[in-house]
């Protein structure tokens, strides 16, 4: 029987992390599994707790949103530790990409009985994050600014906070001249953003890279070019279904190592949590994380 350590972000999704764990933990214990709960004070503390639990042979559960999921999963990348998720955050995009259920009984069955699958992770190299590993995507441009606004929103949650953040970011955004290098080949690009996606989803369910897979050893590189603001707002709406990829302003490449540079200090983010400034290199680590889903 599996032994679990749940690493909880107490503030995720408006302090719903602990509440989301209760039902799942009860079902795990009723099935005979052992589960201990650790409350993190910060993301580095959550990573420390996760590594320690993994060293003791326990299955590590990240309880919260994409921030703690990406941080804990990144810390366990390459270690062989089994990783599970109890979604309880604002976005839950990585859990969504894995197809994880929200029903506690369904989730408990997965954690107890499913065999782990290898999932790719992303290793970052920049001035601010040299060797940091994340899970879902790296986004450089207006969406990084939008995510910052969404994270600071007090009254809005989920998709609404990201949409409001996007509107606020676009109103002051000037197109950036990027240099995007995919597996050694340079691709000049002028526009709103560059996203190196391991997961289909970002920004609370937006389908940024419809064909991205987390087990193919590749990142989908989505580049959104300069366009009138009214067109960009329409494109934001199309992110709900992935229809934006049919626009001529959207270009998609694939590769194992992506370098993103810009002509000015452009912010980038990853997994809703990591924040820094370009340039950044994102390198896929194939099958580096064992995930229960």
């Amino acid at each position: 029987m599996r032994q679990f350590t749940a690493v909880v972000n107490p503030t995720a999704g408006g302090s719903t992390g602990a509440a989301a764990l209760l039902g799942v933990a009860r079902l795990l214990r009723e099935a005979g599994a052992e589960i201990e709960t650790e409350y993190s004070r910060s993301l580095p503390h959550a990573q420390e707790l996760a590594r320690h639990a993994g060293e003791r042979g326990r299955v590590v559960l990240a309880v919260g949103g994409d921030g703690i999921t990406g941080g804990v999963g990144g810390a366990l990348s390459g270690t062989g530790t089994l990783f599970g998720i109890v979604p309880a955050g604002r976005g839950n995009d990585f859990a969504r990409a894995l197809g994880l259920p929200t029903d506690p009984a369904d989730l408990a069955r997965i954690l107890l009985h499913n065999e782990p699958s290898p999932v790719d992770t992303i290793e970052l190299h920049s001035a601010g994050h040299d060797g940091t590993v994340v899970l879902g995507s790296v986004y450089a441009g207006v969406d990084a600014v939008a995510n910052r606004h969404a994270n600071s929103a007090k009254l809005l949650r989920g998709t609404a906070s990201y949409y409001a953040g996007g509107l606020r970011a676009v109103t002051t955004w000037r197109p950036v001249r990027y240099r995007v290098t995919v597996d050694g080949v340079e691709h000049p690009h002028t526009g709103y953003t560059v996203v190196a996606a391991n997961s289909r989803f970002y920004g609370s369910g937006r389908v940024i890279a419809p064909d991205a897979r987390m087990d193919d050893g590749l990142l989908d590189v989505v580049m959104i070019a300069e366009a009138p603001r009214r067109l960009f707002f329409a494109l934001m709406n199309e992110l709900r279904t992935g229809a934006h990829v049919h626009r001529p302003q959207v270009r998609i490449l694939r590769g194992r190592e992506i370098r993103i540079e810009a002509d000015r200090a452009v912010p980038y983010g990853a997994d809703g949590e990591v924040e820094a400034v370009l340039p950044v290199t994102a390198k896929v680590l194939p099958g580096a994380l064992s995930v229960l889903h």
Side-chain angles (χ1 to χ4, degrees):
M1 185 64 68
R2 288 168 176 161
Q3 297 180 322
F4 298 89
T5 295
V7 181
V8 182
N9 176 1
T11 62
S15 303
T16 59
L21 178 62
L22 284 176
V24 176
R26 177 179 58 81
L27 292 166
L28 294 178
R29 290 191 179 103
E30 288 176 355
E34 179 192 332
I35 179 166
E36 62 185 19
T37 303
E38 299 278 7
Y39 292 93
S40 64
R41 298 187 298 269
S42 64
L43 192 57
H45 183 226
Q47 293 171 322
E48 178 185 338
L49 293 170
R51 290 190 191 99
H52 180 59
E55 289 166 359
R56 292 186 288 130
R58 304 182 72 87
V59 179
V60 176
L61 305 180
V63 185
D66 288 309
I68 195 167
T69 297
V72 168
L76 299 177
S77 175
T79 68
T81 299
L82 294 192
F83 178 59
I85 303 168
V86 179
R90 192 193 299 262
N92 300 322
D93 284 313
F94 195 73
R96 182 180 286 109
L98 290 170
L100 287 175
T102 56
D103 178 73
D106 292 338
L107 186 56
R109 277 193 292 271
I110 286 171
L111 297 175
L112 286 166
H113 303 299
N114 280 23
E115 291 300 313
S117 298
V119 167
D120 303 338
T121 60
I122 310 170
E123 184 178 75
L124 303 182
H125 293 280
S126 72
H129 296 277
D130 192 24
T132 297
V133 178
V134 297
L135 303 185
S137 62
V138 182
Y139 38 90
V142 69
D143 35 14
V145 178
N147 185 74
R148 188 181 301 162
H149 292 325
N151 284 342
S152 64
K154 303 300 182 185
L155 300 178
L156 297 175
R157 294 184 60 190
T159 303
S161 69
Y162 286 98
Y163 191 82
L167 292 176
R168 183 177 171 190
V170 169
T171 55
T172 58
W173 187 256
R174 292 182 296 110
V176 176
R177 290 168 60 189
Y178 294 91
R179 184 164 69 249
V180 183
T181 305
V182 180
D183 292 341
V185 179
E186 287 190 9
H187 302 271
H189 166 65
T190 300
Y192 285 94
T193 190
V194 177
V195 182
N198 187 33
S199 163
R200 298 175 63 218
F201 300 102
Y202 85 157
S204 191
R206 295 180 183 179
V207 190
I208 184 63
D211 295 327
R213 288 180 48 186
M214 294 185 290
D215 60 357
D216 63 355
L218 296 171
L219 300 175
D220 282 34
V221 185
V222 182
M223 299 185 286
I224 300 179
E226 183 177 5
R229 275 205 182 105
R230 57 179 173 74
L231 179 59
F232 187 78
F233 291 138
L235 205 146
M236 280 179 65
N237 285 326
E238 291 172 351
L239 285 171
R240 289 180 295 181
T241 62
H244 64 288
V245 300
H246 303 298
R247 295 265 185 186
Q249 292 82 11
V250 178
R251 184 182 183 191
I252 299 179
L253 304 171
R254 289 188 177 89
R256 294 174 176 81
E257 184 170 313
I258 320 302
R259 174 79 171 171
I260 308 173
E261 302 168 275
D263 65 347
R264 65 176 193 259
V266 173
Y268 79 83
D271 290 350
E273 186 73 26
V274 174
E275 291 187 355
V277 176
L278 293 180
V280 64
T281 298
K283 179 182 178 181
V284 69
L285 303 177
L289 186 63
S290 296
V291 182
L292 296 170
H293 67 102

